[in-house]
Amino acid sequence: MLSLAHLTFMHAGPLELIALAKAGGFDAVGIRLVDPAPQAEFFPLVRDAALRRQVKAELAATGLALMDIEAVWLWPETKAERLRPVLEAGAELGARNLLIAGNDTERERMTERLVELCGMAREYGMGVGFEFIPYTALKSLPYSYEILKAAGQPNAGLLIDALHLSRSGGSPADIAAIDPALIAYGHLCDAPAASPGLEEIRTEARSARLYPGDGGLPLKEFLRALPPGKAIAMEAPSTAYGDDDMEKARRAGAACRKLLAESGRV
């Protein structure tokens, strides 16, 4: 399954995002329902029942799956129960996964919140993709793996982003150290091989990624390192490809499919 992550077109509303995913030939889409900031403000889709009905109908009409809902970040002040409306909305739309990242320097508390949210996700039939990001407290693949194992939740696995893996100092070879059963899915994009430096990696991740094949990341090795059958989501927000979102979606989808074919993942 190839999904289009919302961050790729963060300005798009959910209906527009579905149209872009369909135009790009994606199989699924990810939709942001909650802001990742500590206040965790809900996006309109959580409160707007009429909009949810429209989105659900459009997903059915296009045949697209809802790969995940995002983006729950674990902060010191995170309260799992407050996020229940997000999961309720996601379940109504047929979401398969809840995306969780971590930004709490207190390891035990972050692990406890992860356990709580995984339990809540199970109530709604969802898996959990637990994502490390090098400019947060959950900085690396090894550390996120430790937290995930400590949490011990059967519906949770690591979400490994090709850019975050590279910018955290990791490589595709590091994925071999991970139990394949504890890998949920992957995020795909490209970027220059050399890191822009610690001060710039957040900006790069949020607005300066490249489409597969346009940079220097070892993406074929990354894809081959992921266990067979795992879904892939393209997350590539970028200002490098003009202003025509439909054309960008088509170009992005074609680049992903080409790379997947060359990597033996079709």
Side-chain angles (χ1 to χ4, degrees):
M1 177 181 289
L2 177 62
S3 183
L4 177 64
H6 204 154
L7 187 61
T8 307
F9 295 101
M10 196 61 247
H11 57 279
L15 293 170
E16 182 184 356
L17 186 69
I18 291 168
L20 291 169
K22 184 65 175 178
F26 292 87
D27 307 307
V29 67
I31 296 179
R32 182 163 291 191
L33 296 184
V34 58
D35 189 86
Q39 296 78 19
E41 297 293 335
F42 297 163
F43 277 43
L45 191 56
V46 175
R47 301 297 193 194
D48 190 333
L51 180 57
R52 287 199 303 277
R53 287 193 293 272
Q54 287 182 280
V55 168
K56 188 173 182 178
E58 197 62 23
L59 287 169
T62 57
L64 295 176
L66 181 53
M67 172 72 179
D68 55 15
I69 54 173
E70 56 159 300
V72 171
W73 279 36
L74 305 179
W75 297 89
E77 53 267 70
T78 297
K79 304 296 182 186
E81 190 60 32
R82 182 185 175 277
L83 296 165
R84 186 173 292 277
V86 173
L87 280 90
E88 290 175 343
E92 182 181 336
L93 296 171
R96 299 186 179 191
N97 297 285
L98 171 66
L99 191 159
I100 298 178
N103 204 20
D104 189 344
T105 57
E106 189 173 306
R107 175 174 174 157
E108 183 175 347
R109 181 172 55 205
M110 183 160 60
T111 305
E112 290 172 356
R113 295 295 86 77
L114 177 61
V115 169
E116 291 175 8
L117 281 160
C118 286
M120 194 180 297
R122 271 198 308 279
E123 294 179 35
Y124 296 96
M126 293 182 208
V128 168
F130 190 45
E131 183 178 22
F132 70 91
I133 302 173
Y135 51 85
T136 69
L138 194 70
K139 294 180 180 296
S140 70
L141 178 60
Y143 185 49
S144 60
Y145 188 38
E146 291 175 8
I147 298 289
L148 188 71
K149 288 191 294 182
Q153 299 300 294
N155 61 327
L158 296 176
L159 167 51
I160 305 176
D161 183 297
L163 180 66
H164 295 332
L165 180 65
S166 173
R167 298 311 188 232
S168 65
S171 74
D174 298 329
I175 299 174
I178 307 299
D179 179 353
L182 294 182
I183 296 176
Y185 51 105
H187 269 172
L188 187 63
C189 72
D190 215 335
S195 172
L198 186 60
E199 297 300 317
E200 299 298 327
I201 58 174
R202 184 178 186 276
T203 298
E204 178 187 48
R206 295 182 60 81
S207 63
R209 302 190 191 207
L210 299 174
Y211 295 168
D214 291 344
L217 297 184
L219 296 182
K220 290 180 183 178
E221 293 82 354
F222 172 76
L223 289 170
R224 290 167 181 158
L226 292 174
K230 299 295 183 181
I232 301 294
M234 179 181 157
E235 185 172 76
S238 179
T239 59
Y241 299 99
D243 298 323
D244 186 334
D245 285 348
M246 282 294 179
E247 178 55 33
K248 289 167 69 175
R250 286 188 284 267
R251 178 172 177 174
C256 286
R257 289 189 296 275
K258 180 176 184 291
L259 179 66
L260 288 168
E262 291 172 350
S263 304
R265 292 188 69 94
V266 291

